[in-house]
Amino acid sequence: MTIQDINKTYSRIIEWLDRKELKNVFDGLQGLIAGSGHYNFQDKLDELQETYKYMLRYRMDGIQDPMQEQIYRQIQASAYELADAVKLKALATDSPLYYYSRRRSLKLSCAIPFRNLHQQLGSVQDMKAADADIRVKQELEAACLTLFNKIWISDPLSTEEVCELQAVLQDEELPESVGCQVVSALLLGLEEYFDKEKMGLLFDAASSRKQEISVRALIAILLILYKYRKRISLYPFVSDRMSALAEALPSFTQIIQTIILRFILSRETEKISKKLWDEILPGMMKLSPTLGEKINLKDLNPEQLGDEMNPEWQESIFADKELSRMMTEFSELQMEGADVLHSTFVHLKNYPFFREIGNWFLPFTAGHSALESGFKTNKSELRLFEQMTQTSFMCNSDQYSFFLSMLQLPEAARSAMMGQFNEQTAEMIRQNREELLEKHSKVEQIAGRYIQDLYRFYKLFPSHLDFDDIFTYTLDFHNLSEVRPFISDAVSLTAIAEYYLRKNYFQDALTIFEELIKQDSENDILYQKAGYCRQMNGDLEGALKDYLHADLLNPNSKWIIRRIAVCYKTLKQPEKALAYYHRYEALNPDNLSVQISIGHCHLELKNYNEALKYYYKVDYLDTSSHKAWRPIAWCSFLTGKYDQARKYYKKILEAQPNMQDYLNAGHTEWVLQNNKAALDFYKQAVEKENGDWFKFYNQFEQDIPDLKKAGIEEDEIPLMLDQLRYML
């Protein structure tokens, strides 16, 4: 059985288990055992299958057994675990994947028992007493890496091993970094296969009084619950431990909510990197020294169904000028805690330090031997660099990258750099640190940095393709049945939904808004936001339904009235759109955008004279943009006011004409029997399309009915077109 066959068979078994097709599961397991030659699992498979057959027989005979459901769950859980165990054994010898190759290479070095590693790490006090002894520090760091690797590559943990690791987590004298590494190792190990003992240890870590360990453990728990969401309900202890944590941690719900929001923000990382290099930085480099210059915006139909949110939803309205946006966006993203530095450190993960997988998750300390040895002649530089990184938004992994890159500079260059810093700079660093602490709680900082550390690992680790990238998944933790009881309240769900909405994840937001509507069906804002999400997903009819419901609840919202009008207009129902535009007009009679939209509705309804009234009004009041010129010219043509149409097309052609303008001007001249001028305008229309006759003709053909109504004989049309083609 090849490695590919093993993986395919295992995947099929898991799919059958997810669908509870146990007969197929047992057949698949039999094939996997036989194909891999690991018959030591045969007795376990036979036992499971026999138990299942007995259960089915009792069920078919109608025998009521109160333990039946529990036995059924145990069979399923055991089948999952057996599939994992057979796969692990089958791939252990030959698989080239990083996990299995490291299991083989680390087998001897990780043979040391956990209790011995604990004793070795307990000598940390000796390290503090002999701080200058790099050798002692390196030995302890090596022991921590060995602990990490041993947990990561371990088989399902025995009861004795669990007790030894619990002792490590409960040891208050150990550095915080040890518990953090235990958590990360448990997470990576559980990513490979589910071990309920490792899961239990994560819950133990989440109960730690050391916040860094606790928050990291909660992040790991959520990730494992998501990965095994189709089987985790088979383990009742998980829900029990979650409830126990909720009781033990007063801020449990807030921490879970913070973690969820941070994972939503992590979705933005690649977009931020692209925007940073493609838009923000180039835009800032091109900034004019005179910031007061106005931006010329394109003359667009203002009543296209835009994506602007209701300003009433937000405490502040973002500036809509592109120049201002470019100048403020980077700092806004940074202060929000977004991962704005990912692209900066992409190429700084090739140092030998990062060859050890455990170092990707190591909490940052400037006292690490890899850094102190490089700064051994100037400890003040080390401390100043440490202050700089503490006031930044760097995750732990990036802080190590920063220090290691500084070590590549000659000592003289580093000293010259440090010479640029003075007391004023130190004060600025202190203020930045205080601002950071004020804007982001300790939990936010820990969660944000650890999630970024994870992101770096799954995206940049040299063998990252051998791992299942958690950041390619939706990670909608709020939908997990084990998490839902703690964040199902309206406040928590609203916070998550609002964040999805703000980050433009409209389907995710919509799902929550729909649930919130069930809880509060009289809340017009919820219908507004649900409608907006549907609109942004392209479901205009669904959006209109929600907007209409919101209008029933709050008939005085100008935003919703206008949304309904634009929806009807976009759905080609101008008569209904008119009714809502007139409602808006009554509330805001001086809005020229709405006036021109009313004119457009009348135009679509062929009420040309009525449309002209509104276009005239806009033209009279708006003396700068001339948005009404084109509709006035065309309506004048359609109503037989050809001299007026000619006057307006003349003004349009003197400004910034497009192909349609030349085409319509040609129609006007033709109707006025000025054939040569008509031909000239038609020729310029074709030239506007770079000589593409077919594009021109497609537009011309749509206007033939209007030309006929204006008095152009049908037989004259092909003659005019032929004459035009001879001129091209």
Side-chain angles (χ1 to χ4, degrees):
M1 204 173 199
T2 66
I3 291 173
Q4 187 176 16
D5 291 335
I6 292 168
N7 286 320
K8 281 184 177 179
T9 303
Y10 172 79
S11 295
R12 282 199 298 269
I13 291 169
I14 297 301
E15 287 174 6
W16 287 326
L17 273 166
D18 291 343
R19 296 197 298 264
K20 300 182 180 181
E21 299 174 6
L22 294 192
K23 174 63 169 65
N24 286 337
V25 169
F26 296 138
D27 291 343
L29 280 169
Q30 185 65 70
L32 187 58
I33 291 171
S36 61
H38 294 290
Y39 288 101
N40 52 314
F41 295 105
Q42 188 65 51
D43 288 345
K44 181 63 177 176
L45 174 60
D46 292 342
E47 178 188 338
L48 279 177
Q49 192 155 208
E50 197 65 26
T51 303
Y52 186 55
K53 287 179 180 177
Y54 276 120
M55 192 203 82
L56 287 177
R57 190 178 308 159
Y58 288 141
R59 188 117 182 171
M60 295 304 104
D61 291 343
I63 299 173
Q64 297 298 320
D65 184 351
M67 297 294 292
Q68 198 171 82
E69 286 305 317
Q70 182 180 336
I71 293 169
Y72 186 35
R73 287 197 302 270
Q74 288 174 347
I75 292 171
Q76 293 176 70
S78 296
Y80 274 115
E81 292 168 12
L82 181 58
D84 289 344
V86 178
K87 176 199 172 190
L88 191 67
K89 193 73 173 177
L91 296 177
T93 306
D94 299 316
S95 175
L97 292 179
Y98 188 79
Y99 173 75
Y100 293 99
S101 64
R102 292 298 282 166
R103 275 175 64 94
R104 294 191 291 269
S105 64
L106 293 170
K107 190 172 183 180
L108 291 177
S109 62
C110 290
I112 181 171
F114 286 122
R115 62 179 176 276
N116 290 11
L117 286 170
H118 185 186
Q119 291 170 0
Q120 189 174 348
L121 288 164
S123 63
V124 68
Q125 298 302 321
D126 296 337
M127 182 188 72
K128 289 179 179 177
D131 191 45
D133 192 341
I134 293 292
R135 183 185 58 79
V136 173
K137 188 176 291 188
Q138 288 173 336
E139 288 176 358
L140 291 165
E141 290 165 357
C144 193
L145 284 173
T146 301
L147 176 64
F148 179 97
N149 289 327
K150 182 175 176 63
I151 295 170
W152 171 44
I153 66 169
S154 65
D155 290 329
L157 297 175
S158 66
T159 303
E160 182 182 359
E161 288 174 323
V162 170
C163 292
E164 291 172 351
L165 285 172
Q166 284 174 331
V168 172
L169 289 171
Q170 292 165 5
D171 190 340
E172 297 282 344
E173 298 299 318
L174 290 178
E176 194 174 56
S177 59
V178 175
C180 289
Q181 290 296 75
V182 170
V183 167
S184 296
L186 289 169
L187 171 60
L188 284 195
L190 282 161
E191 282 278 307
E192 295 298 333
Y193 68 90
F194 185 80
D195 177 3
K196 54 182 177 292
E197 301 299 346
K198 287 189 175 79
M199 191 69 185
L201 285 168
L202 279 182
F203 281 107
D204 292 337
S207 303
S208 172
R209 290 190 291 183
K210 296 178 179 178
Q211 200 169 33
E212 182 86 30
I213 297 172
S214 176
V215 173
R216 285 179 175 229
L218 284 170
I219 290 171
I221 287 168
L222 289 179
L223 288 171
I224 298 307
L225 291 179
Y226 183 86
K227 181 176 178 66
Y228 297 106
R229 58 195 178 279
K230 293 185 178 178
R231 71 163 92 169
I232 207 72
S233 62
L234 302 174
Y235 299 93
F237 83 91
V238 172
S239 293
D240 294 340
R241 294 295 300 266
M242 287 289 283
S243 298
L245 271 181
E247 290 181 13
L249 299 175
S251 56
F252 179 76
T253 295
Q254 184 60 46
I255 295 172
I256 295 297
Q257 181 181 311
T258 297
I259 293 170
I260 290 173
L261 296 183
R262 286 286 155 176
F263 270 107
I264 296 172
L265 191 58
S266 73
R267 293 191 192 182
E268 300 284 288
T269 303
E270 296 301 330
K271 289 193 289 186
I272 289 170
S273 297
K274 185 173 182 354
K275 187 174 290 187
L276 176 64
W277 293 106
D278 294 352
E279 295 180 36
I280 298 175
L281 294 181
M284 287 181 174
M285 293 176 68
K286 294 176 184 177
L287 290 179
S288 167
T290 306
L291 298 181
E293 292 183 11
K294 293 182 180 179
I295 302 171
N296 292 322
L297 301 176
K298 291 183 179 179
D299 180 16
L300 296 174
N301 178 357
E303 282 302 301
Q304 290 175 339
L305 193 60
D307 57 1
E308 68 280 0
M309 296 184 188
N310 187 346
E312 296 173 7
W313 304 344
Q314 307 172 70
E315 292 183 2
S316 62
I317 303 172
F318 293 110
D320 59 358
K321 290 188 177 180
E322 190 70 12
L323 189 60
S324 176
R325 181 189 68 81
M326 285 185 178
M327 293 182 66
T328 60
E329 185 162 6
F330 186 79
S331 60
E332 287 175 355
L333 289 168
Q334 192 176 47
M335 291 311 297
E336 185 181 6
D339 194 352
V340 298
L341 297 177
H342 174 67
S343 59
T344 305
F345 288 93
V346 162
H347 304 294
L348 294 177
K349 302 297 181 187
N350 298 318
Y351 299 111
F353 176 84
F354 291 110
R355 291 175 190 164
E356 280 290 349
I357 192 170
N359 285 340
W360 287 78
F361 312 99
L362 188 64
F364 177 76
T365 170
H368 195 282
S369 64
L371 308 181
E372 274 204 341
S373 59
F375 287 94
K376 57 187 175 183
T377 60
N378 194 336
K379 293 295 177 67
S380 61
E381 284 184 3
L382 180 67
R383 302 300 168 234
L384 184 53
F385 278 131
E386 184 177 19
Q387 285 183 338
M388 290 170 60
T389 57
Q390 285 177 346
T391 59
S392 72
F393 293 83
M394 294 183 197
C395 62
N396 300 284
S397 174
D398 287 353
Q399 289 183 67
Y400 280 114
S401 294
F402 174 75
F403 270 76
L404 292 168
S405 64
M406 288 296 102
L407 288 175
Q408 303 305 305
L409 294 175
E411 190 172 339
R414 289 207 310 268
S415 298
M417 182 185 297
M418 290 300 98
Q420 302 297 317
F421 295 94
N422 51 31
E423 290 184 11
Q424 186 177 359
T425 307
E427 176 62 19
M428 183 181 69
I429 289 175
R430 187 186 65 78
Q431 289 178 356
N432 286 343
R433 177 173 174 77
E434 289 177 358
E435 185 178 1
L436 179 64
L437 292 172
E438 183 181 335
K439 285 187 175 290
H440 299 284
S441 67
K442 184 76 179 294
V443 170
E444 285 181 294
Q445 293 180 59
I446 294 171
R449 284 177 170 161
Y450 187 51
I451 290 169
Q452 288 178 18
D453 288 336
L454 290 170
Y455 195 92
R456 302 293 185 276
F457 171 74
Y458 283 104
K459 301 295 183 183
L460 304 177
F461 184 66
S463 299
H464 67 275
L465 294 178
D466 287 353
F467 293 83
D468 187 16
D469 184 355
I470 60 175
F471 292 97
T472 60
Y473 295 98
T474 306
L475 299 180
D476 52 339
F477 301 115
H478 57 280
N479 285 326
L480 297 175
S481 58
E482 290 75 22
V483 178
R484 198 143 187 78
F486 310 104
I487 56 168
S488 58
D489 61 288
V491 174
S492 298
L493 289 178
T494 299
I496 297 169
E498 295 283 359
Y499 207 68
Y500 274 131
L501 180 63
R502 183 180 168 198
K503 294 301 176 183
N504 297 336
Y505 298 111
F506 301 112
Q507 187 55 51
D508 297 295
L510 176 60
T511 302
I512 302 178
F513 283 131
E514 287 176 330
E515 183 170 345
L516 288 169
I517 285 171
K518 292 176 183 176
Q519 298 179 19
D520 185 5
S521 60
E522 299 300 311
N523 189 325
D524 67 289
I525 299 297
L526 292 176
Y527 281 102
Q528 286 187 29
K529 292 176 180 178
Y532 181 80
C533 290
R534 293 187 204 278
Q535 173 206 316
M536 299 307 292
N537 284 333
D539 179 13
L540 287 188
E541 292 183 352
L544 178 59
K545 184 177 178 181
D546 282 331
Y547 289 151
L548 288 170
H549 204 128
D551 185 49
L552 286 173
L553 295 170
N554 180 12
N556 297 318
S557 170
K558 290 193 290 185
W559 186 88
I560 202 67
I561 291 170
R562 193 162 176 177
R563 283 277 142 173
I564 294 171
V566 180
C567 275
Y568 274 130
K569 183 173 177 290
T570 308
L571 292 169
K572 303 300 181 186
Q573 299 181 53
E575 193 166 4
K576 290 183 178 179
L578 260 180
Y580 282 89
Y581 276 128
H582 283 310
R583 275 183 61 189
Y584 189 92
E585 183 185 24
L587 296 171
N588 192 354
D590 296 327
N591 189 302
L592 297 185
S593 176
V594 169
Q595 296 293 315
I596 203 168
S597 295
I598 292 174
H600 290 343
C601 289
H602 282 297
L603 180 61
E604 287 188 50
L605 291 167
K606 304 189 185 305
N607 300 330
Y608 303 128
N609 287 315
E610 194 66 24
L612 274 172
K613 292 179 184 178
Y614 285 92
Y615 294 144
Y616 287 149
K617 180 179 178 180
V618 172
D619 190 38
Y620 176 76
L621 295 174
D622 183 5
T623 58
S624 57
S625 68
H626 310 305
K627 294 177 181 178
W629 282 0
R630 285 186 175 91
I632 288 175
W634 185 239
C635 275
S636 298
F637 177 85
L638 294 174
T639 54
K641 299 171 183 174
Y642 303 120
D643 289 330
Q644 180 169 283
R646 172 189 275 172
K647 181 182 76 171
Y648 274 93
Y649 279 123
K650 184 176 184 297
K651 291 195 289 186
I652 293 168
L653 295 179
E654 289 172 353
Q656 292 182 322
N658 56 37
M659 187 277 285
Q660 194 73 48
D661 297 327
Y662 284 113
L663 178 68
N664 294 342
H667 294 338
T668 304
E669 295 300 325
W670 193 6
V671 171
L672 289 170
Q673 299 182 358
N674 191 352
N675 293 352
K676 288 185 178 180
L679 280 167
D680 185 56
F681 285 136
Y682 287 151
K683 181 183 177 192
Q684 290 181 73
V686 177
E687 289 170 351
K688 270 289 182 181
E689 292 290 353
N690 297 316
D692 190 328
W693 169 263
F694 294 103
K695 283 187 179 180
F696 166 82
Y697 181 74
N698 285 336
Q699 292 293 323
F700 184 96
E701 190 177 33
Q702 294 176 32
D703 295 340
I704 288 177
D706 294 318
L707 287 171
K708 290 180 181 178
K709 288 178 184 177
I712 300 297
E713 295 292 336
E714 187 171 359
D715 292 342
E716 290 185 35
I717 295 174
L719 298 177
M720 174 66 80
L721 291 174
D722 278 345
Q723 180 60 41
L724 175 61
R725 298 192 71 171
Y726 275 116
M727 293 172 63
L728 295 175

